[in-house]
Amino acid sequence: MKQHDFTSGNIWRQLVTFSAPLLLTNLLQVSYQFIDSLWVGNLLGTNALGAVAISSTVIFTVLSFIIGVNNAALTVLSQVKGKQDEQGLKSYVNAFSIILGMIAIVLGVIGFVFAEKTLLLLGTPSEMIPMATSYLQINFLGILFLFGYNFISTVYRALGNSKTPLRFVMIAVVLNAVLDPLFIYVFQWGIQGAAYATVIAQGVAFFYGLVLSIRRKFIPFSMPRWPKKAEVTLILTQGIPSGLQMMVISAGSAAIMSVVASFGKDTVAGFGAAQRLDSLIMLPAQALGVAVTSMAGQNIAVKQWQRVRKITGYAILLNLAIMLFISSIIFILAKPGIAMFISEPRAVSFGASYVQMIAFFYPFLGLNFIFNGVVRASGAMLQVLVLNIISFWILRYPLTYVFAGLLGEKGIAAGFGLSFMISSVISYAYYRFGRWRTKNLFIKTET
């Protein structure tokens, strides 16, 4: 396996070659959800699709926590890699494996037992409860696989390899696309078949990644042992705030939906279609955010601050170039883009106007990913959590609420756009003047 030492070499080339596979991985993950919904909706009908959609909100919340904890792993392992500490890398891979495995088992049991009660709390229609419960319970049974292949992918990225994790996601996507119609239609397993297809696809991807890594010694796995106290402390102090960062984003998005819903079903439908486009538009910025965390993390470990600044600067330029190009395309093709998902004229009209109003604000959101990614690389997880709380709960939700009250449904885009601008200024201010550079992740371990 080709690892990348980001503490030397051409930064521009490293940034492009490292972030490109991340972008493709993110695109495949979006297509995973799209294909799942396509088969369920067409083969099982509206109620089944609704059951999957509601269950997916619970799964997304758990996945948000997984992503957050993996961001902490990326930070810690990137710094260990930057220090060329092979024994430390082996030790922390073991520690993360044990702790993440325990979290997965606990969440799996709790999720399985309380699946129906959780769905009732979300106001799930009674006719969807049986289907949604079985779908959710099966997914929770396989949550260890979801944790597992996401963690293995994170370790590869920390080591400077973003191409190998692309294989894992590709295996999961292709296998899920094949198993969905087989289980749902041929075997007549219904919505449970869709859930089994997801779990099996993730399980195969996990075991493939595990066997590949062990046999070829790509990742320094060892016989499991209980981690040291200092390792547990560091992982929890990094992992909990990082996990909460993603959950804050998830909860903030749900709160904003309550503002959108107040304008009726057409606005909700148009906004929902716009969010599907949004998930594609933000893929490059998300990829750059992960890339700068890995690259900056290795350099922060050896105090190469000039190189960290260059990584940030190149990422900003790449973000602006890509996001402005995408924004221009989206602005021109807003209406046909929205019409791919919905057909009701008023909903299409709102969705298109929303996208056009907000299109050229996306580069500012991309800046947030970059500045927060660099700060996150230092291990300043609590500070990034605070920045996310400010972004969603002090800026985006209140501004959307206020502007929607003043301007009607057009105020939704105005509130979003303004919050993107202000939050990018705040994240830059902390990146420029904050004390994240004084963070020392391993001081307790080393003393």
Side-chain angles (χ1 to χ4, degrees):
M1 179 196 72
K2 186 177 181 181
Q3 296 185 13
H4 287 286
D5 180 0
F6 293 131
T7 60
S8 62
N10 186 293
I11 294 174
W12 182 257
R13 184 168 59 248
Q14 289 173 344
L15 184 63
V16 172
T17 57
F18 187 66
S19 59
L22 291 172
L23 174 58
L24 291 175
T25 301
N26 290 344
L27 187 60
L28 281 173
Q29 287 175 330
V30 170
S31 70
Y32 189 106
Q33 299 160 0
F34 179 78
I35 292 169
D36 217 33
S37 298
L38 192 67
W39 284 120
V40 171
N42 283 284
L43 295 178
L44 297 176
T46 305
N47 278 350
L49 185 59
V52 169
I54 293 170
S55 300
S56 294
T57 60
V58 181
I59 296 167
F60 177 73
T61 302
V62 176
L63 182 59
S64 296
F65 183 76
I66 293 171
I67 293 170
V69 175
N70 273 290
N71 283 339
L74 181 62
T75 294
V76 173
L77 298 177
S78 293
Q79 289 207 23
V80 176
K81 165 67 177 172
K83 294 167 69 176
Q84 303 298 319
D85 182 0
E86 295 299 325
Q87 185 55 45
L89 184 63
K90 188 175 183 179
S91 186
Y92 272 103
V93 166
N94 169 80
F96 270 107
S97 299
I98 296 294
I99 292 172
L100 284 172
M102 290 175 62
I103 293 173
I105 292 169
V106 171
L107 283 177
V109 172
I110 293 173
F112 183 88
V113 172
F114 293 100
E116 184 174 354
K117 291 182 179 178
T118 303
L119 291 165
L120 288 170
L121 283 173
L122 291 173
T124 307
S126 57
E127 65 271 19
M128 294 182 185
I129 287 291
M131 288 188 294
T133 300
S134 62
Y135 183 85
L136 193 55
Q137 285 181 326
I138 293 168
N139 271 277
F140 271 115
L141 285 176
I143 198 170
L144 184 63
F145 302 144
L146 186 61
F147 264 82
Y149 94 84
N150 272 283
F151 173 65
I152 292 173
S153 297
T154 296
V155 178
Y156 276 104
R157 289 166 189 149
L159 299 177
N161 180 347
S162 59
K163 292 179 181 178
T164 302
L166 183 59
R167 292 191 220 170
F168 309 154
V169 180
M170 192 174 295
I171 288 171
V173 169
V174 172
L175 196 55
N176 185 63
V178 172
L179 293 180
D180 260 340
L182 182 67
F183 289 175
I184 295 170
Y185 183 71
V186 179
F187 293 170
Q188 295 290 303
W189 289 354
I191 197 170
Q192 293 183 354
Y196 284 125
T198 296
V199 170
I200 290 172
Q202 292 170 348
V204 171
F206 167 59
F207 283 112
Y208 170 77
L210 190 62
V211 170
L212 179 74
S213 303
I214 292 173
R215 281 189 176 179
R216 299 192 181 180
K217 298 181 180 179
F218 287 167
I219 293 177
F221 285 118
S222 57
M223 288 298 294
R225 61 168 180 77
W226 188 250
K228 300 172 187 175
K229 182 180 177 181
E231 293 169 347
V232 174
T233 301
L234 177 60
I235 289 170
L236 293 180
T237 54
Q238 289 289 295
I240 292 174
S242 186
L244 289 175
Q245 288 169 24
M246 301 304 297
M247 296 185 79
V248 162
I249 293 171
S250 179
S253 299
I256 288 167
M257 275 302 297
S258 67
V259 177
V260 176
S262 67
F263 291 99
K265 64 178 184 178
D266 289 331
T267 303
V268 171
F271 185 78
Q275 290 300 290
R276 292 186 186 184
L277 286 181
D278 177 83
S279 66
L280 295 173
I281 294 166
M282 290 313 302
L283 292 180
Q286 291 167 350
L288 282 172
V290 174
V292 297
T293 297
S294 183
M295 293 178 67
Q298 289 191 20
N299 285 279
I300 288 170
V302 290
K303 310 299 181 185
Q304 292 201 35
W305 297 111
Q306 181 64 28
R307 196 167 171 84
V308 172
R309 284 191 289 273
K310 286 183 178 179
I311 289 168
T312 308
Y314 286 142
I316 290 170
L317 291 175
L318 193 56
N319 165 73
L320 291 175
I322 294 172
M323 297 305 289
L324 284 172
F325 174 75
I326 293 175
S327 296
S328 301
I329 298 297
I330 289 295
F331 183 85
I332 295 167
L333 301 177
K335 193 166 185 177
I338 295 295
M340 288 193 303
F341 302 102
I342 52 176
S343 57
E344 208 287 324
R346 191 181 179 283
V348 171
S349 176
F350 169 75
S353 66
Y354 169 88
V355 168
Q356 288 180 322
M357 285 181 67
I358 204 171
F360 292 101
F361 289 99
Y362 282 113
F364 292 105
L365 190 56
L367 293 176
N368 273 332
F369 280 99
I370 292 167
F371 295 133
N372 288 352
V374 175
V375 172
R376 185 181 289 114
S378 72
M381 295 298 176
L382 190 59
Q383 291 88 331
V384 177
L385 173 60
V386 172
L387 288 170
N388 279 325
I389 291 172
I390 292 170
S391 177
F392 273 85
W393 290 100
I394 297 179
L395 293 173
R396 196 171 308 173
Y397 174 62
L399 286 172
T400 302
Y401 182 86
V402 170
F403 277 93
L406 293 173
L407 305 175
E409 61 184 25
K410 290 186 180 296
I412 296 170
F416 263 69
L418 187 58
S419 74
F420 290 171
M421 286 182 63
I422 298 174
S423 61
S424 70
V425 171
I426 293 172
S427 63
Y428 170 74
Y430 187 76
Y431 163 78
R432 179 68 178 82
F433 302 107
R435 299 184 61 189
W436 57 274
R437 294 172 185 82
T438 63
K439 185 78 176 177
N440 188 340
L441 285 184
F442 304 103
I443 188 167
K444 291 183 180 178
T445 306
E446 293 167 355
T447 57

